[in-house]
Amino acid sequence: MRREPLLLRFEDRRQAISVLGEIGIAFDAVSGDGIIRKPTGETAEFEGEVVALTCAVSGYHVRLVWRGELPCSLAPYLVDRGAFGQDQSH
């Protein structure tokens, strides 16, 4: 059976831990995790280098590799698969 990479978006870390815990998935959240950044289209110069500026996408994100049918309880948190790895407008 093929494993599907999924991107889930929750309101915050607490909600992610709670929802995933209800289906038996436990994880240790670390500082700075759950944040996805997207390019703003602007650049800035830093120490002589031009860097692309980014901004955080709203929500707390979890990438999950899932095998089999997705539990119904996770469906509301699933980010559009077409947006995976791109601008996750959701």
Side-chain angles (χ1 to χ4, degrees):
M1 185 171 274
R2 186 169 169 231
R3 294 180 181 184
E4 284 288 319
L6 305 172
L7 180 62
L8 304 171
R9 183 185 72 170
F10 301 94
E11 289 180 26
D12 54 28
R13 180 183 293 158
R14 183 184 325 229
Q15 183 185 41
I17 291 171
S18 173
V19 171
L20 293 173
E22 289 175 9
I23 61 168
I25 297 175
F27 69 96
D28 292 325
V30 295
S31 179
D33 68 346
I35 299 170
I36 292 182
R37 303 189 70 78
K38 67 178 181 176
T40 64
E42 299 177 49
T43 59
E45 190 171 320
F46 179 72
E47 296 183 353
E49 298 286 327
V50 176
V51 293
L53 299 178
T54 62
C55 66
V57 175
S58 67
Y60 182 86
H61 296 82
V62 174
R63 284 193 169 99
L64 181 67
V65 175
W66 191 263
R67 185 187 317 196
E69 191 171 327
L70 184 70
C72 294
S73 61
L74 294 183
Y77 306 101
L78 184 63
V79 173
D80 178 18
R81 287 186 180 154
F84 189 70
Q86 299 173 10
D87 174 12
Q88 288 97 12
S89 302
H90 37 277

